[in-house]
Amino acid sequence: MSHSTTRTTAALGEAAHDPVPAIAGIPAAPIAAERARPAAGPFAPVAWARANLFNGWLSTAVTLALIYFIARWAIGFFDWAVLHAVWSVPQTDAGPDPSACRDAKGVGACWAMIGDKYRFILFGRYAYEEQWRPAIVIALFIGLYAISAMRRFWRKELLLIWIVALTAIGVLMWGGVGGLAFVPQDSWGGLPITLILSTFGLAFAFPLAVVVALGRRSTELPAVRMLCVLYVELIRGVPLITLLFMASVMFPLFMPEGFNPDKLLRAQVAIILFAGAYLAEVVRGGLQALPKGQYEAADALGLSYWKKTGLIILPQALRLVIPPLVNTFIGFFKDTSLVLIIGIFDLLLAGKVAITDPVWQAYSTELYLVLAVVYFAFCYVMSRYSRGLEQEFRRTARR
Amino acid sequence: MSGAVVDPRLSPARAAPKKGLSLSWSDPRFRNIVWQVLILGTITAIVWYLVQNTSRNLAARRIATGFAFLGRTAGIPIGESLIDYDPAINTYGRALLIGLLNTLKVAVVGVVLATIWGTVLGVARLSKNWLISRLAAVYVEVIRDVPLLLQLLFWYLVLQGLPAPRNSFHPLPGVFLSNRGIKFPVVEWEGPFWWALGALALGILGTMAWSRTAARQQEATGVRPKVWPVALGLLVGFPLLVWGALGAPFAVEMPALRGFNFTGGATVSPEYAALTLGLVVYTASYIAEIVRSGILAVPTGQWEAGGAIGLRSSTVLRKIVLPQALRVIIPPMTSQYLNLTKNSSLAVAIGYQDVVSIASTTLNQTGQAIEGIAAIMVVYLAISLSISFLMNWYNARIALVER
């Protein structure tokens, strides 16, 4: 039993091209367990420190040197980010007066810049009075993730929740119905764009990925298999940038005259195609990890291909691939920042534009730090979740 | 396997009765053929429709097609190139070649450095020292969860924030760090160096031959002749001898501040440095996890068994542990190398002129979007295919041969 579990995780890890599942599949326990259990002694922390920090003169020297550097760095950072930081600047008629920040330059951070610009960074050029709408959209997205993460909601109704939530998001962003003012797509920006590109990307790429993965595994339809292989390998062989360039300069050439979808939609299509190829490999990993007996048993029952796939194979295979799926999603979430290169106002570009304001030009470090924290918060929570889920799956598989 | 004689009793039952194809919907083979024809037909129709649209659009916008533009004068200024280039004379073809070389320059250096740094981190994560392993874990976690593009922009900002050449950092003699990049001294390249390089190549071949002989002798007699003195002589002594015999030329070109900028020495541009630094820092966090899992995948019993049959721990590492760990490490490592190469296309965001950047300038100037993007795709597909080919070959060499 344990053998098949290991194989399963290894196959998944390889398919996802992400080391996380493969690593989590390795029993990291021995070392961790050793470390976690302090040697019995009169005073446990001292014994623990002796075993793990001051074990021999080399270890002691390294520990002391590291403590020294970390402490120096941490104190320096604390000084810069908190003690000497400028938290707000006075507002004048001509706009904010950054002289306090200028005086503190090099000594303390200028968080006043974030305070002044945070709405632009978060919402871009979205109409100022209407910015409560993208704020609700962000909350909706986070709620949607939270609900999807709860196993209680892993039912067919989840699909309905997604459709309702995504529709609500579209209505809120565009407006034009129910008394909401219409906001054209090219003035959207900031965090909602990042969330829209990655979430809609996942929502549309996932069905595509399932179809492609099934196609790639089909032995009966060689032509379809070739098509799927071609699609997956072609997309995975080129950088996302190429696809985005394609969407921004080549896509208009493909379309009939007069039909010119806006840039955001084109980038969204590129991201869906990109995500589809990677997700297809993840799903294929799940299909391969399923024991052959499941396929044979379904055949023995005389189920048709679609019944076999829909009732037996996919429910099990998709459950297996949830952790690598989350990891892939983290990748897309980070990759959406690339749309900056074709000039779409995502979180990163909104931030970059915010500091082109001559008043705040000198404070990019602060901006990048804040953006990094935002991205980190999303990705860290998701990666923690996927790791926890994976461990849980392994426990249930072993039982 | 393919050449082996197959026992007919083992062949799957499905292959046995071979009936003719009946043209009825209840025959699964007929159904499959119909489906495939339908799907292929639909896709061909869509592609045909797009091609029609495209050619109509191209005609309407008077955009030329074909790759004739490769032979025209480019006029793209290029900051750094490995081969001679003059925008007034040279063609788009040469500009794209320079872009390709710049991409390869980042990719090759990045892969080597990321492997080294990632291995250090991976080993550090397994350190018995709690502080070291925690630090490495925090590094991996933080770096992975922040987009690469953001990191690149940050590194570029840091490097541009260095002082101007006049007040540049001067950590070592001849090394200057300024907002114009990193300046360092170079040895002037002369003829004898080529000969010494040739000698080194011969030395490598000789060492390989000698170590094979040694292995054969060990198998025959049980005693392994010493390899390292011969290797040292062939790899270090021989090239030095050749270089010395040709007059041992050695002249160092030191960078020096003249006016507002440096002259002499070699330069690493801030763009290249930021891109390479960012890629290495980012990719190493993935490689660290791969290395860690590879090491953990080899059971401790392997070390103990090696010691029990009297092998030195360096031999156990080289002959027993590493071959097994590499088997786990190589496949995911390949995809990280591919990722690094593909991610080097983010160069365009910080103004390093890689192949994507030059191709996009080209397509803006000529309007030939399809050809420009096709060029980028061909380049990356070729790089991806050759890396995976190389790594698959290596993987096949070290893979477990099961009987």
Side-chain angles (χ1 to χ4, degrees), chain A residues 14 17-20 22-24 26-28 31 34-35 48 51-55 58-60 62-64 66-67 70 219-225 227 233-243 245-247 249-250 252-257 278 330 333-335 337-341 348 352 364-365 367-369 371-373 375-377 379-381 383-384 387, chain B residues 14 28-29 31-33 35-36 39-40 43 49-51 53-58 60-61 63 125-135 141-150 153-154 157 282 286-290 292-294 296-297 328 331-332 335-336 339 341-343 345-346 348-349 356-357 360 363-364 367 369-371 373-374 376-378 380-381 384:
Chain A
E14 216 176 282
H17 283 283
D18 192 315
V20 172
I23 284 135
I26 305 294
I31 288 177
E34 241 174 55
R35 212 175 268 151
W48 178 88
N52 294 310
L53 292 176
F54 305 106
N55 183 16
L58 184 66
S59 174
T60 308
V62 170
T63 304
L64 291 178
L66 280 179
I67 288 177
I70 294 171
T219 44
E220 317 274 291
L221 308 172
V224 173
R225 194 176 60 224
L227 271 179
E233 297 304 326
L234 204 67
I235 300 275
R236 280 160 35 103
V238 298
L240 175 56
I241 276 276
T242 327
L243 292 179
F245 271 141
M246 219 163 159
V249 297
M250 242 161 99
L253 290 178
F254 287 162
M255 290 295 114
E257 257 173 282
Y278 281 81
I330 296 173
F333 188 80
K334 291 187 292 174
D335 281 345
S337 59
L338 264 63
V339 297
L340 167 151
I341 291 168
L348 191 50
K352 275 195 73 158
S364 321
T365 315
L367 171 84
Y368 288 152
L369 219 61
L371 292 186
V373 168
Y375 277 109
F376 178 81
C379 296
Y380 183 72
V381 170
S383 78
R384 269 281 113 114
R387 235 172 295 164
Chain B
R14 199 187 295 144
R29 274 180 298 160
R31 251 179 1 226
N32 288 342
I33 290 172
W35 278 123
Q36 294 190 65
I39 292 171
L40 281 185
I43 287 177
Y49 173 69
L50 294 180
V51 168
N53 278 337
T54 311
S55 62
R56 206 175 307 130
N57 284 328
L58 287 177
R61 295 175 200 190
I63 299 174
R125 273 205 76 172
L126 294 171
S127 165
K128 284 207 182 72
N129 188 318
W130 181 84
L131 201 58
I132 297 180
S133 76
R134 282 326 298 165
L135 264 186
E141 194 67 60
V142 170
I143 294 293
R144 275 175 164 222
D145 286 344
V146 175
L148 175 60
L149 186 59
L150 181 54
L153 292 174
F154 175 76
L157 178 78
Y282 185 77
Y286 287 87
I287 291 182
E289 288 294 87
I290 296 171
R292 187 179 79 111
S293 74
L296 284 176
V328 181
S335 64
Q336 284 312 317
N339 280 347
T341 311
K342 285 188 278 173
N343 284 336
S345 60
L346 297 186
V348 70
V356 173
S357 160
S360 82
L363 69 87
N364 280 335
I370 298 175
E371 288 84 351
I373 287 176
I376 304 177
M377 290 181 103
V378 166
Y380 278 99
L381 284 176
S384 297

Side-chain angles (χ1 to χ4, degrees), chain A residues 67-306:
Chain A
I67 288 177
Y68 172 72
F69 283 119
I70 294 171
R72 252 190 70 166
W73 180 84
I75 291 169
F77 184 75
F78 185 75
D79 275 352
W80 177 78
V82 180
L83 279 189
H84 300 293
V86 179
W87 296 91
S88 62
V89 289
Q91 291 286 336
T92 62
D93 296 337
D97 169 29
S99 54
C101 274
R102 220 176 294 133
D103 294 340
K105 180 80 183 148
V107 187
C110 175
W111 301 122
M113 180 271 287
I114 304 293
D116 187 43
K117 285 287 180 188
Y118 78 99
R119 284 185 65 163
F120 188 84
I121 296 171
L122 277 181
F123 307 124
R125 292 170 300 184
Y126 204 89
Y128 196 81
E129 311 75 49
E130 301 286 335
Q131 281 180 359
W132 57 272
R133 281 156 51 182
I136 294 179
V137 164
I138 294 174
L140 269 176
F141 270 121
I142 294 174
L144 191 60
Y145 298 155
I147 283 179
S148 313
M150 277 184 245
R151 301 185 66 175
R152 202 179 319 148
F153 290 99
W154 287 5
R155 284 181 271 140
K156 290 212 176 67
E157 288 79 9
L158 189 59
L159 190 68
L160 201 70
I161 295 178
W162 269 71
I163 292 173
V164 170
L166 293 188
T167 316
I169 284 165
V171 168
L172 274 171
M173 288 303 284
W174 262 302
V177 285
L180 293 175
F182 176 72
V183 180
Q185 212 161 322
D186 47 356
S187 61
W188 300 5
L191 188 55
I193 291 284
T194 299
L195 293 170
I196 285 172
L197 283 176
S198 47
T199 313
F200 278 77
L202 181 79
F204 285 94
F206 187 65
L208 174 71
V210 172
V211 171
V212 170
L214 289 174
R216 202 174 168 173
R217 296 257 305 159
S218 84
T219 44
E220 317 274 291
L221 308 172
V224 173
R225 194 176 60 224
M226 283 305 296
L227 271 179
C228 294
V229 171
L230 198 70
Y231 162 70
V232 169
E233 297 304 326
L234 204 67
I235 300 275
R236 280 160 35 103
V238 298
L240 175 56
I241 276 276
T242 327
L243 292 179
L244 290 175
F245 271 141
M246 219 163 159
S248 78
V249 297
M250 242 161 99
F251 198 74
L253 290 178
F254 287 162
M255 290 295 114
E257 257 173 282
F259 180 70
N260 201 4
D262 70 291
K263 208 152 63 171
L264 185 66
L265 185 64
R266 283 183 271 151
Q268 182 72 76
V269 170
I271 286 181
I272 290 171
L273 287 178
F274 180 77
Y278 281 81
L279 289 178
E281 287 300 272
V282 174
V283 174
R284 191 166 70 102
L287 292 175
Q288 275 177 356
L290 213 57
K292 220 173 150 198
Q294 295 292 326
Y295 291 85
E296 290 165 355
D299 283 337
L301 285 176
L303 296 180
S304 74
Y305 176 80
W306 292 113

Side-chain angles (χ1 to χ4, degrees), chain B residues 218-246:
Chain B
Q218 185 183 18
E219 275 163 24
T221 63
V223 184
R224 186 174 169 86
K226 280 222 172 354
V227 171
W228 69 264
V230 180
L232 193 71
L234 280 173
L235 294 179
V236 180
F238 184 45
L240 275 179
L241 209 68
V242 169
W243 176 64
L246 289 168

Side-chain angles (χ1 to χ4, degrees), chain B residues 49 56 67 73 134 145 158 175 179 245-246 269 280 359 385 402:
Chain B
Y49 173 69
R56 206 175 307 130
F67 285 91
T73 312
R134 282 326 298 165
D145 286 344
V158 168
V175 179
N179 58 6
L246 289 168
S269 71
V280 167
L385 285 179
E402 285 182 84

Side-chain angles (χ1 to χ4, degrees), chain B residues 323-337:
Chain B
Q324 299 184 61
L326 280 181
R327 244 171 244 150
V328 181
I329 289 174
I330 295 292
M333 201 75 127
T334 310
S335 64
Q336 284 312 317
Y337 289 168

Side-chain angles (χ1 to χ4, degrees), chain B residues 210-221:
Chain B
W210 175 246
S211 94
R212 204 163 288 173
T213 319
R216 216 171 294 132
Q217 203 165 331
Q218 185 183 18
E219 275 163 24
T221 63

